[in-house]
Each structure stands twice: as structure tokens, then as C-alpha cells.
Amino acid sequence: MLAQFTWQEFWLAILLLTLLWYSGIILFYFRKELNLFFSKGSPFKEPFPRRWADKVEEPIQKFEEHDGLLGASKLAEGTSTVSMGQVSFREDENAKSEQLGLIPDVLQELKEIFSILEKEEGNKQDFFNMMEMVRAKYGQIGSNPRIVQINQFIAEHAPFHLSKEELENLWD
């Protein structure tokens, strides 16, 4: 007798019996939720009962009402929160004038002197003659606190050796 059924008929019977079984389970155990679902209402409209709520001293607050799960974080000592428009960096007036004024101009003059000495194969005496013009033009550079860096620049880029005494006497 079982030989008379095909595989297609067997799987169709299994499918129908499974649908019938689960429909019966849903109708028997979940009738209330099914009625709410078909009446276009949510089965969970009412909040779950909180039997413990009367034992809590403070009312339950929503998550958005406070600053996170553990509360607001404390800023480190000496810090503050500012907007982007309030952010600025300290500007040293001397540094700004050095960037735009005397030091870069002297360095540019020195670069030009070294370029001329290289092209025309100048010697130490030619260098000192050209430096007299720079000293006359920038006389106040000798008292600048950055004169050490300028002398170091000269010592590194000069095509000949200059002693410490010659570098120190260069700006007098």
C-alpha cells in the first residue's frame, strides 16, 4: 500500500500535517496575541508589570535624561570644554617678528652672499667685504638672541673655514 504513494505526495502530506499542527498550537496557546495581531494592535501595548518598582526609592528615569549609564564624566583638573571658535594658540610677539622680519631677511642675504661666492669663486676677504654691507643694513642684529643660530648657519654654509673669533667679530 505504501508503494502506491509518490515522493511528491508524501512531502505534500507532511507539509499539510505540519501546517495543521502548528496552526492548532497557535490557536490553542496564543489566541489572545493572535486576536491583538489581527486587530492591528501590538501584543505588548501594556508595559510589563514591575513588582519591584514599589521597593525602589527613586523613580526610574529614562536613559536620555542623565549623562550615561555611570553619570557625567569629570574633566581633568585644569581643563575645560570650549567651542571651536574659542580655540587659539599663544603667539609670541618676538617669534612673529622673527618669522616676518629681521632674522629671515639676514638669512636670505647670507644665502645670496654664499651663492655669489660660489659662482665667482670668492674667498674669505670677499665674504668679509660683503658682510660689511649686511652689517650696515642690519646693524641691530648683533644684539639679537638668535645670533648664535645665524653664526652657526654661516659656519655650516661658508665655503671656507671661519674661526669662532671671526664669527663673533662679524657683527661688531
Side-chain angles (χ1 to χ4, degrees), residues 57-169:
E57 294 177 7
E58 297 177 16
I60 299 172
Q61 297 178 354
K62 291 186 178 181
F63 183 71
E64 295 86 21
E65 293 178 7
H66 59 84
D67 297 324
L69 189 60
L70 299 175
S73 61
K74 181 181 175 186
L75 293 175
E77 187 175 330
T79 61
S80 62
T81 304
V82 296
S83 68
M84 284 301 295
Q86 295 173 324
V87 175
S88 65
F89 297 96
R90 181 177 173 258
E91 292 184 20
D92 187 12
E93 292 298 324
N94 293 334
K96 192 172 187 177
S97 67
E98 286 176 4
Q99 289 176 351
L100 302 174
L102 194 61
I103 302 296
D105 291 343
V106 170
L107 290 176
Q108 184 62 36
E109 292 278 342
L110 290 171
K111 288 176 187 176
E112 290 173 9
I113 289 173
F114 293 138
S115 172
I116 293 169
L117 289 174
E118 184 180 333
K119 288 178 186 174
E120 298 181 8
E121 297 179 6
N123 58 16
K124 195 183 271 192
Q125 187 60 40
D126 295 331
F127 172 72
F128 286 125
N129 290 338
M130 289 185 210
M131 281 304 293
E132 293 221 9
M133 291 186 290
V134 173
R135 190 175 355 158
K137 189 173 182 181
Y138 303 102
Q140 69 272 24
I141 193 73
S143 61
N144 194 299
R146 304 250 184 213
I147 195 69
V148 175
Q149 285 87 1
I150 294 173
N151 286 341
Q152 185 179 6
F153 178 81
I154 293 171
E156 289 174 359
H157 292 88
F160 38 80
H161 176 69
L162 291 168
S163 67
K164 273 188 172 181
E165 296 160 355
E166 289 174 326
L167 286 172
E168 288 174 3
N169 295 330

Side-chain angles (χ1 to χ4, degrees), residues 31-43 45:
R31 183 175 303 150
K32 183 179 176 183
E33 289 85 359
L34 191 61
N35 287 337
L36 288 174
F37 179 75
F38 284 117
S39 66
K40 296 186 181 182
S42 172
K45 278 188 177 177

Side-chain angles (χ1 to χ4, degrees), residues 8-55:
Q8 291 176 345
E9 293 171 342
F10 172 75
W11 287 115
L12 181 64
I14 294 293
L15 177 70
L16 289 176
L17 288 174
T18 305
L19 286 175
L20 183 65
W21 175 259
Y22 282 109
S23 298
I25 297 284
I26 290 172
L27 288 174
F28 187 74
Y29 289 105
F30 300 103
R31 183 175 303 150
K32 183 179 176 183
E33 289 85 359
L34 191 61
N35 287 337
L36 288 174
F37 179 75
F38 284 117
S39 66
K40 296 186 181 182
S42 172
F44 304 109
K45 278 188 177 177
E46 317 173 349
F48 291 116
R50 295 192 172 129
R51 295 178 186 93
W52 49 267
D54 57 341
K55 298 175 186 173

